[in-house]
Amino acid sequence: MTMTQNADGTRAPEHRAGQARVSRRGFLAGGAAMTAAATLGVSQRAIAAGETPPNIIYIISDDQGWKDVGYHGSDILTPNIDALATGGARLTEFYAQPMCTPTRAALMTGRYPLRYGLQLGVIPSGGSYGLPTEEYILPQALKEAGYRTAMVGKWHLGHADIKYWPRSRGFDSFYGALVGEIDHFEHESHGIKDWYRNEELIDEDGFATTLFGQEAARVVEAHDGDAPLFLYLAFTAPHTPFQAPEEYLNRYPNIADEQRRTYAAMISAMDDEIGRLLAVLKAKGMRENTLIVFQSDNGGVTTAAFAGESEVVGKLPADNGPYRDGKGTTYEGGTLVAALMNWPGVIPAGEVTGMMHVVDMLPTLSTVAGASLEKSARLDGMDMWAAIKESGETPRSTLVYNVDPGSGTIRDGNMKLVWAAGLPPRVELFDLSTDPGETTNLAEQMPGVVARMQGEVLQIAREMVPPMLIPEAIKLTFGTPPNAAEPQQIIVKWD
């Protein structure tokens, strides 16, 4: 992928032209066959050669804007993330789902969330559902391949039943929060503590980001090296509520907007903890054989409706660069995220061009680890290891941003359809090769392309599982006790 100059002087990826159109099979078949063959081959070769699979550390930030990293031209200081990007593979066209829960589910399963009912919204604090337990997920695959597995940070894949919790899903240890949003100092959601070590509710003082970094460092320090380590480090920064220690706020005296200053401070705190983790890896002699992945879980939030359960006011602070809109939408600003992979001496420094989606991480990491995915259901993810290892171009030519009962967004080559099928309906068609900011709707000019892509969406919709959020929302809404006035108040008013 080439880079173009934005009006503000920063650089943005120029989307590829000339990709071939594919059939419905391309959207729906996934990468299972390609992945299975590649994984089996790598696993057999690694065992025969006596090679040790790498440690894998997967780091996710929470609601971080595309531009809000130093290497994308931000005024926010992220030297440790920047160093990983400069020395590794910058994934220039990496897509996530529009919101927290769906992205985390897609990462864990290698399957679009529409396959198992997590495509709409997020699991609310009062929700009783979670990632279905029949889904075979990343830590299970890596654990069966001989990895030690640890999870630190935000889970958000089910909290109401212990069967959904991290240690029931393949992690040897868990430290962090189960729900989607917590107070970063009090570690509470709606006044209820949400801070665990394994299955034990604990009470600790400290800023969540710092505590997550310290725990990740402890996991690495305690690792005995007899087996490779998989560490999933999911920060809650910079998700609302916007909070940060004074020492980090003081780093940005020139940012006048209070929310933007706090948001920047939260990202810098996270970057410092990534630096702490890198230092411990080096001290333990593990850095050279450790693959690190970093991504945001979705685009930065630009609309209060998607900011979470905390009250926000004024202009929201995230910056998605030249891309339209943000979290909660299937426009590029909500789904195209900063992402990188770094493995010294194995992954060359440079750009990996072409589309990549978070569902691709399960098959790609399984190839690296020599893990079997025979227990997985049909994958949507594709093995991207060859493109990453060679700083090449990915083989992906289609993408399902999301499909739910009211809308569908897909991409075929450079053509992107955004279809809101409810009333009033809205149909938008964009050519991302010439219009990455999605400013020019080509739907009326290209009715044939629209019709064909709408057909793809309808075919996908016939295969999707209904969203679990809808019946849950109905239950939460109509199962809530009445909120009625006291009789005394009515009497006083009438008097």
Side-chain angles (χ1 to χ4, degrees):
M1 174 181 295
T2 59
M3 302 294 286
T4 58
Q5 195 79 6
N6 298 324
D8 62 359
T10 60
R11 301 171 74 213
E14 179 182 314
H15 294 257
R16 290 176 296 149
Q19 290 177 304
R21 179 170 64 82
V22 298
S23 66
R24 286 188 186 134
R25 182 175 298 274
F27 279 105
L28 298 172
M34 175 182 176
T35 300
T39 302
L40 179 62
V42 169
S43 178
Q44 290 176 335
R45 290 194 298 272
I47 293 171
E51 298 173 359
T52 303
N55 306 298
I56 299 172
I57 297 180
Y58 206 109
I59 304 171
I60 287 190
S61 61
D62 201 354
D63 291 3
Q64 185 175 4
W66 177 89
K67 191 181 174 182
D68 293 324
V69 287
Y71 74 94
H72 280 168
S74 178
D75 58 344
I76 298 175
L77 305 175
T78 58
N80 293 297
I81 295 173
D82 297 347
L84 289 171
T86 301
R90 298 180 296 283
L91 311 179
T92 61
E93 217 173 335
F94 189 94
Y95 288 90
Q97 295 295 126
M99 298 189 79
C100 307
T101 293
T103 287
R104 293 159 207 272
L107 166 65
M108 291 293 158
T109 63
R111 288 157 45 82
Y112 291 130
L114 63 90
R115 302 276 188 204
Y116 38 82
L118 288 180
Q119 71 271 47
L120 188 63
V122 300
I123 299 174
S125 297
S128 61
Y129 63 95
L131 177 64
T133 56
E134 59 266 25
E135 293 290 328
Y136 186 67
I137 66 174
L138 180 60
Q140 293 172 316
L142 293 182
K143 189 171 182 178
E144 289 196 9
Y147 276 71
R148 305 280 171 78
T149 58
M151 199 250 153
V152 175
K154 169 179 169 176
W155 178 235
H156 210 189
L157 288 174
H159 53 272
D161 192 311
I162 202 168
K163 69 182 181 181
Y164 298 127
W165 291 22
R167 290 221 306 163
S168 298
R169 306 308 305 271
F171 285 104
D172 295 322
S173 64
F174 167 61
Y175 172 88
L178 292 169
V179 300
E181 178 181 328
I182 60 170
D183 183 288
H184 299 282
F185 288 102
E186 299 300 327
H187 316 146
E188 296 175 346
S189 173
H190 298 279
I192 298 174
K193 188 71 69 176
D194 183 37
W195 200 255
Y196 291 87
R197 181 174 296 281
N198 296 328
E199 289 75 49
E200 180 184 358
L201 189 65
I202 59 176
D203 191 5
E204 290 183 325
D205 293 328
F207 184 55
T209 298
T210 304
L211 293 175
F212 291 148
Q214 291 173 344
E215 177 67 14
R218 278 194 290 268
V219 168
V220 171
E221 287 173 340
H223 187 63
D224 59 19
D226 290 343
L229 171 68
F230 171 55
L231 170 61
Y232 175 43
L233 174 56
F235 287 103
T236 51
H239 196 293
T240 53
F242 298 127
Q243 300 169 321
E246 194 70 25
E247 63 179 287
Y248 286 101
L249 293 171
N250 291 338
R251 293 188 185 183
Y252 295 97
N254 296 326
I255 299 181
D257 180 80
E258 182 179 350
Q259 285 192 145
R260 175 70 180 177
R261 183 168 63 252
T262 307
Y263 173 87
M266 295 172 79
I267 292 175
S268 283
M270 176 181 66
D271 187 80
D272 275 4
E273 296 311 316
I274 293 173
R276 183 201 301 271
L277 181 58
L278 292 171
V280 172
L281 285 167
K282 183 177 180 180
K284 281 275 292 186
M286 295 170 60
R287 182 65 189 97
E288 296 304 308
N289 196 38
T290 297
L291 167 63
I292 295 176
V293 185
F294 172 84
Q295 68 159 103
S296 177
D297 64 344
N298 42 248
V301 60
T302 58
T303 304
F306 299 118
E309 298 170 354
S310 299
E311 183 178 354
V312 294
V313 295
K315 185 180 184 298
L316 294 175
D319 188 347
N320 293 314
Y323 301 111
R324 180 175 174 177
D325 221 314
K327 176 185 177 181
T329 78
T330 54
Y331 294 115
E332 296 295 279
T335 54
L336 186 65
V337 299
L340 63 88
M341 297 182 76
N342 184 294
W343 183 1
V346 178
I347 295 177
E351 294 183 346
V352 175
T353 60
M355 284 183 278
M356 192 179 302
H357 190 275
V358 65
V359 293
D360 299 326
M361 290 294 98
L362 171 74
T364 300
L365 295 179
S366 295
T367 289
V368 172
S372 171
L373 296 179
E374 291 182 357
K375 295 182 181 179
S376 291
R378 182 179 63 177
L379 297 180
D380 296 298
M382 300 176 67
D383 179 9
M384 299 294 181
W385 183 236
I388 293 165
K389 190 171 59 174
E390 299 167 6
S391 289
E393 183 177 17
T394 72
R396 181 175 283 284
S397 60
T398 65
L399 192 69
V400 178
Y401 289 76
N402 203 35
V403 174
D404 62 45
S407 63
T409 302
I410 62 173
R411 179 174 168 183
D412 188 348
N414 288 311
M415 303 309 297
K416 176 178 177 179
L417 177 75
V418 182
W419 182 19
L423 297 177
R426 185 181 75 256
V427 179
E428 296 172 291
L429 183 70
F430 304 107
D431 183 348
L432 296 180
S433 65
T434 58
D435 183 25
E438 297 169 294
T439 61
T440 304
N441 184 3
L442 303 175
E444 291 187 3
Q445 301 174 39
M446 305 177 72
V449 174
V450 169
R452 174 178 59 79
M453 296 185 74
Q454 285 181 321
E456 306 284 3
V457 172
L458 290 173
Q459 181 65 24
I460 295 166
R462 292 186 185 100
E463 293 197 358
M464 78 174 179
V465 172
M468 288 187 275
L469 178 62
I470 293 177
E472 188 77 6
I474 293 171
K475 181 179 72 174
L476 291 172
T477 300
F478 292 101
T480 303
N483 184 18
E486 295 292 332
Q488 294 86 348
Q489 294 174 317
I490 299 174
I491 293 170
V492 170
K493 182 178 180 181
W494 285 350
D495 288 345

